[in-house]
Structure formats: structure tokens, C-alpha cells
């Protein structure tokens, strides 16, 4: 059955340079979905526009004023008083409250998408997980029948993070192969078949299950990532750095599997990206 999905990345702050680069992993999953006839959209919030939303002009202006004031205060005193500590904590909380309001707005945007079948959240760090802990319950409350899936480097590098993260999601795909992920997509409405999907963590009313793979440690992935404007709009709004990852060899520490892209396939990907984005900036890993 054809699905319609959102692939969501909400990076934690402060942003790193890599945050602004195209997300090769989500583009790869999107490539597999589209090739199989599914509909999907990448919502990548690692953009310059999101940086401005998280740190609006009013807060940036206040921050500069506070830095100037702090410099004056330090000239007067060599120690930080309790009053200073309390005041600085309030200022930090102001930024945190604002950012949480932005993330809630994203949750409402997801809830408003009535025609989607599942939402996949990429979780690469504990800070990313904290954002999911805020917004995923809001989405689940408003859309109880919408499948919510976790994935990302936090689980791919250490499967020990699966047990405490699983209550957030219906399941967590902790592999990196697009082919394996598509196996879950094909049986997403049949949890009884989830035990056959490699690298999937899920639970029922009794226990938690974590599947692995007996298909060998080397898997080839020849599907092109999808960076088109329809699938990955953030890339075409001049809010991302056009510095692409060409993942020739992907080693996922937790699963022990190695996913390989052939040299010809990697060369084709570079040619395609050079043509469509007029860029020569690539990182081959």
C-alpha cells in the first residue's frame, strides 16, 4: 500500500556547521520511498531561517546588551554574586522558553498534515531526543493513529539508547540501510510481521523486541538519494550550505553492518549533484 510520510530533522541548538549541510541519510531514505512509489517530504529544520527563529533579533539584541553589562560588572567585581547567578539563569530560561515555543509550533505543523501515514524523526544526539520528548507526545495526543518512528545516529552508534527512547515512538529503526527500512514500510500496518524487519526496535503490551540481521555484514545500496525540490524543499530555499556527503562506505557501530556504495554509483551521484546544484563541494566518506 502506498504511503505518504514526513521525514523530520529538528536539530538541537547551538547549530554546528554540519547542521546546515544537506542530510544525506534522510535523502537516501526518501530516494528509496520514491523509487517504490511512495510519497514523502523531508522537513529539515537545520537551516539559516531556523537559526533566526530560535534566536530572534530581540533576543540577540538583549544578549549583546547583557554581554556589555557583564563586562562592566566584571570590572567592578572579581566574583559572581548570587544575584548575578539568579539573573543569568532567568535570561537563559527566557531563550529556552522561546525555543520550546518554536518546537511546539513545529509539532502543530505536523499535526495539521492530515494526509500522512507516518512521521520519521531523525535523532542524532541526546539533545535531539530532548526535543522529541517535548513534541512527540503533543503529536501523539492529537493524532493517536499516526505512526511515529525514530531513527538516527544516537541508535545506530549505540543500541543501548533504544530501551529508554522506545516509549516515545511506535518503533525505532536503528539500521542505516534504505532497503531494510523499506521492509518496515511494507509491513507498517502489520506489527505481527515487524519481527522480520532487520534492525527494528518495538514493543507490545508484554515486552520489548530488538531485531538484527542474519544477511551478512556487507550490504550494497545503489538507490540515489532524492534532493529534489518537491522532496527536500529546504535545499532549494537558499537556507542550507550546499556541501554534500557522498557516503561510499557507511559503518554503523551498533549493528555491525557495513553499507557500501559502488564507485560508479558514487561518481553518478557527484555528477547529478554538480549538475542540479552547480556545486563542487563534496565530502566522500
Amino acid at each position: 500500500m502506498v504511503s505518504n510520510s514526513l521525514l523530520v530533522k529538528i536539530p538541537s541548538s547551538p547549530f554546528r556547521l554540519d547542521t546546515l549541510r544537506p542530510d544525506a541519510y534522510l535523502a537516501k531514505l526518501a530516494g528509496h520511498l520514491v523509487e517504490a512509489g511512495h510519497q514523502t517530504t523531508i522537513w529539515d529544520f537545520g537551516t539559516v531561517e531556523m537559526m533566526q527563529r530560535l534566536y530572534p533579533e530581540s533576543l540577540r539584541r538583549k544578549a549583546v546588551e547583557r554581554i556589555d553589562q557583564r563586562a562592566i560588572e566584571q570590572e567592578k567585581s572579581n566574583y559572581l554574586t548570587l544575584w548575578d547567578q539568579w539573573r543569568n539563569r532567568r535570561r537563559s530560561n527566557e531563550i529556552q522558553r522561546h525555543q520550546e515555543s518554536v518546537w511546539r509550533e513545529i509539532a502543530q505543523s505536523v499535526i495539521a498534515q492530515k494526509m500522512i501515514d507516518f512521521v520519521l524523526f531523525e535523532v542524532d544526539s541526546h539533545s535531539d531526543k530532548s526535543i522529541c520528548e517535548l513534541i512527540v507526545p503533543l503529536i501523539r495526543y492529537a493524532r493517536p493513529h499516526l505512526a511515529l518512528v525514530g531513527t538516527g545516529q544516537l541508535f545506530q552508534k549505540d543500541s543501548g539508547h533504544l530501551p529508554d527512547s522506545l516509549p516515545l515512538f511506535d518503533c525505532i529503526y536503528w539500521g542505516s540501510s534504505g532497503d531494510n527500512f523499506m521492509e518496515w514500510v511494507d509491513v507498517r500496518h502489520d506489527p505481527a510481521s515487524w519481527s522480520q524487519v532487520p534492525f527494528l526496535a518495538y514493543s507490545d503490551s508484554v515486552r520489548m523486541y530488538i531485531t538484527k540481521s542474519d544477511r551478512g555484514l556487507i550490504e550494497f545500496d545503489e538507490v540515489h538519494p532524492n534532493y529534489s525540490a518537491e522532496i527536500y524543499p529546504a535545499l532549494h530555499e537558499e537556507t542550507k550550505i550546499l556541501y554534500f556527503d557522498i557516503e561510499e562506505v557507511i559503518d554503523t557501530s551498533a549493528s555491525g553492518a557495513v553499507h557500501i556504495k559502488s564507485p560508479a554509483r558514487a561518481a553518478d551521484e557527484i555528477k547529478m549533484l554538480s549538475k542540479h546544484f552547480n556545486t563542487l563541494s563534496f565530502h566522500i566518506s
Side-chain angles (χ1 to χ4, degrees), residues 250-276:
I250 308 170
D251 182 7
T252 53
S253 304
S255 66
V258 177
H259 306 286
I260 296 178
K261 192 179 296 180
S262 68
R265 164 69 181 71
D268 287 344
E269 187 174 328
I270 291 174
K271 292 177 183 177
M272 180 269 293
L273 292 172
S274 298
K275 177 181 178 180
H276 287 271

PDB file of all heavy atoms in Angstrom, residues 250-276:
ATOM      1  N   ILE A 250      29.406   3.127   4.762  1.00  0.00           N
ATOM      2  CA  ILE A 250      28.730   3.526   5.990  1.00  0.00           C
ATOM      3  C   ILE A 250      28.880   2.406   7.001  1.00  0.00           C
ATOM      4  O   ILE A 250      28.377   1.300   6.801  1.00  0.00           O
ATOM      5  CB  ILE A 250      27.235   3.809   5.747  1.00  0.00           C
ATOM      6  CG1 ILE A 250      27.063   4.795   4.587  1.00  0.00           C
ATOM      7  CG2 ILE A 250      26.580   4.359   7.009  1.00  0.00           C
ATOM      8  CD1 ILE A 250      25.628   4.928   4.135  1.00  0.00           C
ATOM      9  N   ASP A 251      29.585   2.678   8.079  1.00  0.00           N
ATOM     10  CA  ASP A 251      29.811   1.694   9.132  1.00  0.00           C
ATOM     11  C   ASP A 251      28.968   2.081  10.336  1.00  0.00           C
ATOM     12  O   ASP A 251      29.192   3.119  10.950  1.00  0.00           O
ATOM     13  CB  ASP A 251      31.293   1.656   9.503  1.00  0.00           C
ATOM     14  CG  ASP A 251      31.584   0.612  10.573  1.00  0.00           C
ATOM     15  OD1 ASP A 251      30.673  -0.156  10.920  1.00  0.00           O
ATOM     16  OD2 ASP A 251      32.729   0.577  11.053  1.00  0.00           O
ATOM     17  N   THR A 252      27.982   1.257  10.677  1.00  0.00           N
ATOM     18  CA  THR A 252      27.146   1.551  11.837  1.00  0.00           C
ATOM     19  C   THR A 252      27.625   0.697  13.000  1.00  0.00           C
ATOM     20  O   THR A 252      27.514  -0.528  12.980  1.00  0.00           O
ATOM     21  CB  THR A 252      25.663   1.256  11.541  1.00  0.00           C
ATOM     22  OG1 THR A 252      25.549  -0.085  11.048  1.00  0.00           O
ATOM     23  CG2 THR A 252      25.135   2.197  10.471  1.00  0.00           C
ATOM     24  N   SER A 253      28.146   1.342  14.011  1.00  0.00           N
ATOM     25  CA  SER A 253      28.812   0.640  15.103  1.00  0.00           C
ATOM     26  C   SER A 253      27.890  -0.327  15.826  1.00  0.00           C
ATOM     27  O   SER A 253      28.279  -1.437  16.169  1.00  0.00           O
ATOM     28  CB  SER A 253      29.379   1.667  16.093  1.00  0.00           C
ATOM     29  OG  SER A 253      30.240   2.563  15.443  1.00  0.00           O
ATOM     30  N   ALA A 254      26.637   0.077  16.068  1.00  0.00           N
ATOM     31  CA  ALA A 254      25.737  -0.737  16.872  1.00  0.00           C
ATOM     32  C   ALA A 254      25.354  -2.026  16.154  1.00  0.00           C
ATOM     33  O   ALA A 254      25.369  -3.112  16.728  1.00  0.00           O
ATOM     34  CB  ALA A 254      24.490   0.066  17.227  1.00  0.00           C
ATOM     35  N   SER A 255      24.995  -1.926  14.877  1.00  0.00           N
ATOM     36  CA  SER A 255      24.515  -3.102  14.147  1.00  0.00           C
ATOM     37  C   SER A 255      25.655  -3.968  13.630  1.00  0.00           C
ATOM     38  O   SER A 255      25.468  -5.155  13.370  1.00  0.00           O
ATOM     39  CB  SER A 255      23.644  -2.660  12.960  1.00  0.00           C
ATOM     40  OG  SER A 255      24.424  -1.971  11.998  1.00  0.00           O
ATOM     41  N   GLY A 256      26.839  -3.389  13.447  1.00  0.00           N
ATOM     42  CA  GLY A 256      27.955  -4.133  12.902  1.00  0.00           C
ATOM     43  C   GLY A 256      27.916  -4.273  11.400  1.00  0.00           C
ATOM     44  O   GLY A 256      28.806  -4.869  10.797  1.00  0.00           O
ATOM     45  N   ALA A 257      26.886  -3.735  10.752  1.00  0.00           N
ATOM     46  CA  ALA A 257      26.745  -3.854   9.297  1.00  0.00           C
ATOM     47  C   ALA A 257      27.498  -2.731   8.596  1.00  0.00           C
ATOM     48  O   ALA A 257      27.627  -1.629   9.115  1.00  0.00           O
ATOM     49  CB  ALA A 257      25.277  -3.806   8.912  1.00  0.00           C
ATOM     50  N   VAL A 258      27.991  -3.023   7.417  1.00  0.00           N
ATOM     51  CA  VAL A 258      28.665  -2.043   6.575  1.00  0.00           C
ATOM     52  C   VAL A 258      27.894  -1.928   5.271  1.00  0.00           C
ATOM     53  O   VAL A 258      27.661  -2.928   4.591  1.00  0.00           O
ATOM     54  CB  VAL A 258      30.127  -2.451   6.290  1.00  0.00           C
ATOM     55  CG1 VAL A 258      30.774  -1.439   5.350  1.00  0.00           C
ATOM     56  CG2 VAL A 258      30.911  -2.545   7.586  1.00  0.00           C
ATOM     57  N   HIS A 259      27.480  -0.712   4.936  1.00  0.00           N
ATOM     58  CA  HIS A 259      26.719  -0.475   3.708  1.00  0.00           C
ATOM     59  C   HIS A 259      27.629   0.206   2.699  1.00  0.00           C
ATOM     60  O   HIS A 259      28.232   1.236   2.989  1.00  0.00           O
ATOM     61  CB  HIS A 259      25.494   0.380   4.008  1.00  0.00           C
ATOM     62  CG  HIS A 259      24.652  -0.192   5.105  1.00  0.00           C
ATOM     63  ND1 HIS A 259      23.846  -1.287   4.931  1.00  0.00           N
ATOM     64  CD2 HIS A 259      24.515   0.157   6.409  1.00  0.00           C
ATOM     65  CE1 HIS A 259      23.241  -1.584   6.067  1.00  0.00           C
ATOM     66  NE2 HIS A 259      23.638  -0.718   6.983  1.00  0.00           N
ATOM     67  N   ILE A 260      27.721  -0.382   1.527  1.00  0.00           N
ATOM     68  CA  ILE A 260      28.695   0.054   0.530  1.00  0.00           C
ATOM     69  C   ILE A 260      27.981   0.571  -0.715  1.00  0.00           C
ATOM     70  O   ILE A 260      27.014  -0.019  -1.185  1.00  0.00           O
ATOM     71  CB  ILE A 260      29.639  -1.106   0.154  1.00  0.00           C
ATOM     72  CG1 ILE A 260      30.468  -1.530   1.377  1.00  0.00           C
ATOM     73  CG2 ILE A 260      30.558  -0.707  -0.991  1.00  0.00           C
ATOM     74  CD1 ILE A 260      31.382  -2.691   1.119  1.00  0.00           C
ATOM     75  N   LYS A 261      28.497   1.677  -1.229  1.00  0.00           N
ATOM     76  CA  LYS A 261      28.029   2.252  -2.482  1.00  0.00           C
ATOM     77  C   LYS A 261      29.156   2.040  -3.501  1.00  0.00           C
ATOM     78  O   LYS A 261      30.309   2.362  -3.229  1.00  0.00           O
ATOM     79  CB  LYS A 261      27.764   3.741  -2.267  1.00  0.00           C
ATOM     80  CG  LYS A 261      27.020   4.448  -3.353  1.00  0.00           C
ATOM     81  CD  LYS A 261      26.822   5.914  -2.973  1.00  0.00           C
ATOM     82  CE  LYS A 261      25.955   6.061  -1.751  1.00  0.00           C
ATOM     83  NZ  LYS A 261      25.751   7.480  -1.368  1.00  0.00           N
ATOM     84  N   SER A 262      28.848   1.501  -4.660  1.00  0.00           N
ATOM     85  CA  SER A 262      29.884   1.212  -5.650  1.00  0.00           C
ATOM     86  C   SER A 262      30.525   2.506  -6.132  1.00  0.00           C
ATOM     87  O   SER A 262      29.897   3.568  -6.127  1.00  0.00           O
ATOM     88  CB  SER A 262      29.282   0.463  -6.835  1.00  0.00           C
ATOM     89  OG  SER A 262      28.406   1.311  -7.566  1.00  0.00           O
ATOM     90  N   PRO A 263      31.808   2.464  -6.579  1.00  0.00           N
ATOM     91  CA  PRO A 263      32.470   3.672  -7.098  1.00  0.00           C
ATOM     92  C   PRO A 263      31.694   4.319  -8.242  1.00  0.00           C
ATOM     93  O   PRO A 263      31.600   5.551  -8.322  1.00  0.00           O
ATOM     94  CB  PRO A 263      33.833   3.145  -7.552  1.00  0.00           C
ATOM     95  CG  PRO A 263      34.078   1.943  -6.695  1.00  0.00           C
ATOM     96  CD  PRO A 263      32.732   1.313  -6.499  1.00  0.00           C
ATOM     97  N   ALA A 264      31.130   3.498  -9.131  1.00  0.00           N
ATOM     98  CA  ALA A 264      30.356   4.056 -10.251  1.00  0.00           C
ATOM     99  C   ALA A 264      29.116   4.768  -9.745  1.00  0.00           C
ATOM    100  O   ALA A 264      28.748   5.841 -10.242  1.00  0.00           O
ATOM    101  CB  ALA A 264      29.969   2.936 -11.217  1.00  0.00           C
ATOM    102  N   ARG A 265      28.492   4.186  -8.739  1.00  0.00           N
ATOM    103  CA  ARG A 265      27.292   4.789  -8.153  1.00  0.00           C
ATOM    104  C   ARG A 265      27.637   6.110  -7.463  1.00  0.00           C
ATOM    105  O   ARG A 265      26.916   7.100  -7.579  1.00  0.00           O
ATOM    106  CB  ARG A 265      26.696   3.791  -7.161  1.00  0.00           C
ATOM    107  CG  ARG A 265      25.703   4.296  -6.189  1.00  0.00           C
ATOM    108  CD  ARG A 265      24.381   4.687  -6.828  1.00  0.00           C
ATOM    109  NE  ARG A 265      23.524   5.167  -5.780  1.00  0.00           N
ATOM    110  CZ  ARG A 265      23.678   6.313  -5.137  1.00  0.00           C
ATOM    111  NH1 ARG A 265      24.673   7.106  -5.471  1.00  0.00           N
ATOM    112  NH2 ARG A 265      22.857   6.666  -4.183  1.00  0.00           N
ATOM    113  N   ALA A 266      28.768   6.168  -6.748  1.00  0.00           N
ATOM    114  CA  ALA A 266      29.202   7.404  -6.097  1.00  0.00           C
ATOM    115  C   ALA A 266      29.537   8.476  -7.131  1.00  0.00           C
ATOM    116  O   ALA A 266      29.195   9.660  -6.956  1.00  0.00           O
ATOM    117  CB  ALA A 266      30.415   7.131  -5.205  1.00  0.00           C
ATOM    118  N   ALA A 267      30.187   8.076  -8.233  1.00  0.00           N
ATOM    119  CA  ALA A 267      30.524   9.036  -9.288  1.00  0.00           C
ATOM    120  C   ALA A 267      29.261   9.603  -9.929  1.00  0.00           C
ATOM    121  O   ALA A 267      29.179  10.807 -10.221  1.00  0.00           O
ATOM    122  CB  ALA A 267      31.395   8.359 -10.342  1.00  0.00           C
ATOM    123  N   ASP A 268      28.269   8.743 -10.152  1.00  0.00           N
ATOM    124  CA  ASP A 268      26.991   9.205 -10.724  1.00  0.00           C
ATOM    125  C   ASP A 268      26.316  10.219  -9.804  1.00  0.00           C
ATOM    126  O   ASP A 268      25.727  11.205 -10.262  1.00  0.00           O
ATOM    127  CB  ASP A 268      26.061   8.020 -10.962  1.00  0.00           C
ATOM    128  CG  ASP A 268      26.490   7.168 -12.145  1.00  0.00           C
ATOM    129  OD1 ASP A 268      27.297   7.659 -12.947  1.00  0.00           O
ATOM    130  OD2 ASP A 268      26.027   6.016 -12.242  1.00  0.00           O
ATOM    131  N   GLU A 269      26.407   9.967  -8.496  1.00  0.00           N
ATOM    132  CA  GLU A 269      25.784  10.879  -7.541  1.00  0.00           C
ATOM    133  C   GLU A 269      26.460  12.253  -7.574  1.00  0.00           C
ATOM    134  O   GLU A 269      25.799  13.289  -7.535  1.00  0.00           O
ATOM    135  CB  GLU A 269      25.857  10.279  -6.136  1.00  0.00           C
ATOM    136  CG  GLU A 269      25.088  11.055  -5.088  1.00  0.00           C
ATOM    137  CD  GLU A 269      25.067  10.351  -3.752  1.00  0.00           C
ATOM    138  OE1 GLU A 269      25.070   9.091  -3.736  1.00  0.00           O
ATOM    139  OE2 GLU A 269      25.048  11.044  -2.716  1.00  0.00           O
ATOM    140  N   ILE A 270      27.798  12.258  -7.658  1.00  0.00           N
ATOM    141  CA  ILE A 270      28.532  13.530  -7.730  1.00  0.00           C
ATOM    142  C   ILE A 270      28.146  14.294  -9.005  1.00  0.00           C
ATOM    143  O   ILE A 270      27.919  15.505  -8.975  1.00  0.00           O
ATOM    144  CB  ILE A 270      30.043  13.274  -7.680  1.00  0.00           C
ATOM    145  CG1 ILE A 270      30.442  12.767  -6.288  1.00  0.00           C
ATOM    146  CG2 ILE A 270      30.818  14.543  -8.029  1.00  0.00           C
ATOM    147  CD1 ILE A 270      31.889  12.353  -6.173  1.00  0.00           C
ATOM    148  N   LYS A 271      28.064  13.598 -10.130  1.00  0.00           N
ATOM    149  CA  LYS A 271      27.682  14.242 -11.384  1.00  0.00           C
ATOM    150  C   LYS A 271      26.282  14.838 -11.298  1.00  0.00           C
ATOM    151  O   LYS A 271      26.030  15.962 -11.748  1.00  0.00           O
ATOM    152  CB  LYS A 271      27.746  13.232 -12.531  1.00  0.00           C
ATOM    153  CG  LYS A 271      29.148  12.775 -12.879  1.00  0.00           C
ATOM    154  CD  LYS A 271      29.113  11.716 -13.980  1.00  0.00           C
ATOM    155  CE  LYS A 271      30.510  11.196 -14.284  1.00  0.00           C
ATOM    156  NZ  LYS A 271      30.476  10.106 -15.313  1.00  0.00           N
ATOM    157  N   MET A 272      25.355  14.080 -10.706  1.00  0.00           N
ATOM    158  CA  MET A 272      23.977  14.546 -10.586  1.00  0.00           C
ATOM    159  C   MET A 272      23.888  15.791  -9.718  1.00  0.00           C
ATOM    160  O   MET A 272      23.223  16.773 -10.079  1.00  0.00           O
ATOM    161  CB  MET A 272      23.105  13.417 -10.012  1.00  0.00           C
ATOM    162  CG  MET A 272      21.632  13.773  -9.840  1.00  0.00           C
ATOM    163  SD  MET A 272      21.253  14.469  -8.197  1.00  0.00           S
ATOM    164  CE  MET A 272      21.544  13.036  -7.148  1.00  0.00           C
ATOM    165  N   LEU A 273      24.574  15.790  -8.590  1.00  0.00           N
ATOM    166  CA  LEU A 273      24.527  16.934  -7.677  1.00  0.00           C
ATOM    167  C   LEU A 273      25.222  18.148  -8.292  1.00  0.00           C
ATOM    168  O   LEU A 273      24.761  19.283  -8.118  1.00  0.00           O
ATOM    169  CB  LEU A 273      25.179  16.565  -6.350  1.00  0.00           C
ATOM    170  CG  LEU A 273      24.424  15.514  -5.515  1.00  0.00           C
ATOM    171  CD1 LEU A 273      25.255  15.091  -4.315  1.00  0.00           C
ATOM    172  CD2 LEU A 273      23.080  16.054  -5.055  1.00  0.00           C
ATOM    173  N   SER A 274      26.332  17.923  -8.995  1.00  0.00           N
ATOM    174  CA  SER A 274      27.036  19.035  -9.650  1.00  0.00           C
ATOM    175  C   SER A 274      26.138  19.709 -10.672  1.00  0.00           C
ATOM    176  O   SER A 274      26.117  20.947 -10.786  1.00  0.00           O
ATOM    177  CB  SER A 274      28.308  18.524 -10.337  1.00  0.00           C
ATOM    178  OG  SER A 274      29.200  17.964  -9.401  1.00  0.00           O
ATOM    179  N   LYS A 275      25.389  18.912 -11.397  1.00  0.00           N
ATOM    180  CA  LYS A 275      24.509  19.449 -12.435  1.00  0.00           C
ATOM    181  C   LYS A 275      23.339  20.211 -11.851  1.00  0.00           C
ATOM    182  O   LYS A 275      23.022  21.320 -12.282  1.00  0.00           O
ATOM    183  CB  LYS A 275      24.007  18.304 -13.318  1.00  0.00           C
ATOM    184  CG  LYS A 275      23.026  18.751 -14.394  1.00  0.00           C
ATOM    185  CD  LYS A 275      22.550  17.563 -15.217  1.00  0.00           C
ATOM    186  CE  LYS A 275      21.519  17.991 -16.267  1.00  0.00           C
ATOM    187  NZ  LYS A 275      21.050  16.822 -17.068  1.00  0.00           N
ATOM    188  N   HIS A 276      22.700  19.644 -10.833  1.00  0.00           N
ATOM    189  CA  HIS A 276      21.460  20.231 -10.313  1.00  0.00           C
ATOM    190  C   HIS A 276      21.706  21.399  -9.361  1.00  0.00           C
ATOM    191  O   HIS A 276      20.870  22.295  -9.255  1.00  0.00           O
ATOM    192  CB  HIS A 276      20.624  19.153  -9.615  1.00  0.00           C
ATOM    193  CG  HIS A 276      19.979  18.190 -10.561  1.00  0.00           C
ATOM    194  ND1 HIS A 276      18.737  18.394 -11.117  1.00  0.00           N
ATOM    195  CD2 HIS A 276      20.419  17.024 -11.079  1.00  0.00           C
ATOM    196  CE1 HIS A 276      18.420  17.391 -11.920  1.00  0.00           C
ATOM    197  NE2 HIS A 276      19.435  16.549 -11.908  1.00  0.00           N
TER     198      HIS A 276
END
